[in-house]
Amino acid sequence: MKENYCLQAALVCLSMLYHSQALALERRTHLRPPFHGHHEKGKEGQVLQRSKRGWVWNQFFVIEEYTGPDPVLVGRLHSDIDSGDGNIKYILSGEGAGTIFVIDDKSGNIHATKTLDREERAQYTLMAQAVDRDTNRPLEPPSEFIVKVQDINDNPPEFLHETYHANVPERSNVGTSVIQVTASDADDPTYGNSAKLVYSILEGQPYFSVEAQTGIIRTALPNMDREAKEEYHVVIQAKDMGGHMGGLSGTTKVTITLTDVNDNPPKFPQSVYQMSISEAAVPGEEVGRVKAKDPDIGENGLVTYNIVDGDGAELFEITTDYETQEGVVKLKKPVDFETKRAYSLKVEAANVHIDPKFISNGPFKDTVTVKIAVEDADEPPMFLAPSYIHEVQENAAAGTVVGRVHAKDPDAANSPIRYSIDRHTDLDRFFTINPEDGFIKTTKPLDREETAWLNISVFAAEIHNRHQEAKVPVAIRILDVNDNAPKFADHYEGFICESDQTKPLSNQPIVTVSADDQDDTANGPRFIFSLPPEIIHNPNFTVRDNRDNTAGVYARRGGFSRQKQDFYLLPIVISDGGIPPMSSTNTLTIKVCGCDVNGALLSCNAEAYILNAGLSTGALIAILACIVILLVIVVLFVTLRRQKKEPLIVFEEEDVRENIITYDDEGGGEEDTEAFDIATLQNPDGINGFIPRKDIKPEYQYMPRPGLRPAPNSVDVDDFINTRIQEADNDPTAPPYDSIQIYGYEGRGSVAGSLSSLESATTDSDLDYDYLQNWGPRFKKLADLYGSKDTFDDDS
């Protein structure tokens, strides 16, 4: 309240001061008496006297924030020509004229009708003019003047921000600059001390100070520790009037945070850590964790861990978990309870980043002892080798020992081991294993040509705990035995040109042959080529071994002719280099072909030689056309005949299990004078040996073995039938089912007539059938039926 009264008293004093200045200004602003100059002649001959303007202008001042009961007199306008009779009228125009500023048109007094604020507007520009009241004729030229608003201290200082945030490193020296705060005052800085500011600290002592003129905040105490107190709240005041009494003030808050520096070393909270690990643990498994505490933060608090000593330094390792700042102890190599049951490590924790300014606070590291106990575990069996390789010869008898695998229980209990083969790796069950001693044996002969290596897996499990098992790979190599004879590497055919006997033989081979052997190289090459011993002196061809696993076939003579023989079959014996060696006989076909004078092949057809060399091309074409036409006619005839007769013999739609082959020639009946000639039972078409079968198509010409066909005129029917049965049994083209063959050909003119007994009961015959007794045991039944009748009649 006292400050308000003082302020009001000051405003009243200032108001009185401005009133006195306004009166003085009013006296100064009166127009001077007219200055008489030269005369000018008017339109009506009137001489006008030009007078000099007598305005004397200074700036008008109005105090701001004036709240008196009457309008404030700003000033007075007066012209020298104004005699006071009221004929002159004063006019005011410009900024705020008529609203803020009004003028008495008779006296020229200017008043301010509203309270003015310098911070809103500091000055107004107005225009004054004196005119004749009746005619509004300007009596004076218009003049411009300025009304300034006089400032008073009515605005307190204001800071740019309500709150400030600043950082300063902990343990900074006294006087370290933290932040600068700035305030502003809306009052006129050019008038008085209304805008002259002074800064001071209200809160935050004794830690910080502020410069009075600049507003810079500085540290005031040394060695401020972030770990003790991290954040400070400081209040700064700005006061105008140079800080004197009666001035206005404003405040702001500043939050100052101490940033961290690495001034604290890491420290373990305990001197010994106890840990344990199972002997069944695998490398990489975590054993335990240690942590050194560092009150610093950020990179200043980063700690790295290392093993610096201890008997377990080779078996364990430590890594740093940077998220938790812990040291993670891990297993590096497997441990064995039966070998050693405890280990000791010396672990060091050190800061990653060290500030040289605080190196004297060091050392920035600490050590701790880590004791690790090994726990016993039931371990699976261990094979003495990580893998096994065994060998066995192919074709070895079942039960042959291949090799042995061996495992043991690493535990102190030394549990017995049982072995087995993983059948997923031995689907064909080639091997078996003795479950007690681990010996592997074969179950069947093996073929290296099918598989050279066999890979199986063997399990070893404890008898008392089948879940504890180990697995080992076993590779078995099949050793080669010379059990494959070499053969031609390809299908070879030779070609030799027809030549005269007098032409010299060529030194070029007819064909060069090579061989392949499925056996290994030790039992394969080198191959030896030769002719069989029985034709070693073949008059036509010879074989020369090139000693490079190939051989050339050469002609011994010339003068080959397709008319005599169009091809030759040459057997060649190939032997390998195995122990003992294997050999095979391979047949090479050599065709006789027609060639031109240069030896180039022209034709290898057998019929080519019958063509007359003197015939013209047209004649040859005509002959070939006739041959083709005849062939077409023959094929059509045979096709029609087969379509007509074939269904009576072979039914393709049915699976005929018994084929009746009928020869439609019934012989001559009574005209046959040689009833006992075996030739009458033979088909003339089959006199040359093989009788074609209609139920199959033979793949090659079957040549009956010599000595099996009876003589054409043999009377032993039993031998004849036995011969045919033997031929049928040994015929490679015979179907896999029984075939009834009927030899119905009885010759021309049979005296005996039909051999069938179907009509014997209705036919009276005087023939003597005693000759059936001579036909052998197969006809004994017929002989008893017919021959005994005559004997019975005679006896009766």
Side-chain angles (χ1 to χ4, degrees), residues 678-694:
I678 194 64
T680 61
L681 298 180
Q682 295 175 341
N683 190 339
D685 297 333
I687 194 65
N688 293 328
F690 176 70
I691 299 176
R693 300 279 296 275
K694 292 185 180 182

Side-chain angles (χ1 to χ4, degrees), residues 532-551:
E534 61 270 17
I535 60 169
I536 190 67
H537 300 294
N538 189 297
N540 299 317
F541 305 98
T542 184
V543 175
R544 297 178 189 174
D545 195 329
N546 296 329
R547 298 183 179 275
D548 60 354
N549 297 324
T550 63

Side-chain angles (χ1 to χ4, degrees), residues 103-121:
I103 188 171
D104 187 347
D105 58 355
K106 292 181 179 181
S107 62
N109 292 331
I110 301 174
H111 291 83
T113 61
K114 294 182 178 180
T115 301
L116 302 181
D117 188 358
R118 191 201 68 84
E119 286 69 39
E120 292 183 2
R121 191 174 185 130

Side-chain angles (χ1 to χ4, degrees), residues 270-436:
Q270 58 194 69
S271 59
V272 178
Y273 284 85
Q274 298 287 346
M275 300 179 184
S276 62
I277 185 69
S278 173
E279 64 173 340
V282 297
E285 187 170 334
E286 181 177 326
V287 181
R289 295 189 174 218
V290 297
K291 184 175 183 180
K293 295 183 178 181
D294 191 333
D296 296 323
I297 61 174
E299 66 177 14
N300 297 318
L302 294 180
V303 179
T304 182
Y305 297 88
N306 294 287
I307 297 176
V308 295
D309 197 5
D311 57 1
E314 298 296 328
L315 300 176
F316 300 92
E317 62 182 356
I318 189 169
T319 59
T320 302
D321 187 344
Y322 288 102
E323 292 185 1
T324 62
Q325 290 298 301
E326 293 177 319
V328 183
V329 181
K330 294 182 180 180
L331 184 65
K332 187 178 180 180
K333 296 180 180 179
V335 292
D336 188 10
F337 175 81
E338 288 74 23
T339 303
K340 191 171 183 179
R341 302 186 179 185
Y343 296 90
S344 177
L345 301 175
K346 186 176 182 180
V347 176
E348 179 185 80
N351 279 137
V352 178
H353 304 282
I354 299 177
D355 194 338
K357 294 187 297 184
F358 304 100
I359 194 68
S360 59
N361 296 355
F364 287 85
K365 57 179 144 182
D366 192 17
T367 58
V368 71
T369 300
V370 178
K371 294 184 178 181
I372 303 174
V374 180
E375 298 177 350
D376 189 21
D378 188 8
E379 300 176 84
M382 294 180 59
F383 283 94
L384 300 185
S387 62
Y388 292 87
I389 299 178
H390 298 308
E391 296 179 345
V392 64
Q393 285 190 339
E394 66 173 330
N395 300 327
T400 301
V401 176
V402 177
R404 183 188 183 189
V405 296
H406 187 62
K408 66 176 183 178
D409 183 11
D411 297 323
N414 195 16
S415 176
I417 305 299
R418 187 174 185 85
Y419 302 93
S420 62
I421 294 177
D422 183 2
R423 289 306 174 184
H424 292 91
T425 62
D426 186 24
L427 297 176
D428 295 324
R429 297 184 179 270
F430 288 120
F431 305 100
T432 183
I433 189 171
N434 190 314
E436 296 178 357

Side-chain angles (χ1 to χ4, degrees), residues 594-612:
C595 303
D596 57 11
V597 294
N598 296 323
L601 296 178
L602 295 178
S603 174
C604 293
N605 296 328
E607 65 274 8
Y609 68 92
I610 65 174
L611 297 177
N612 188 359

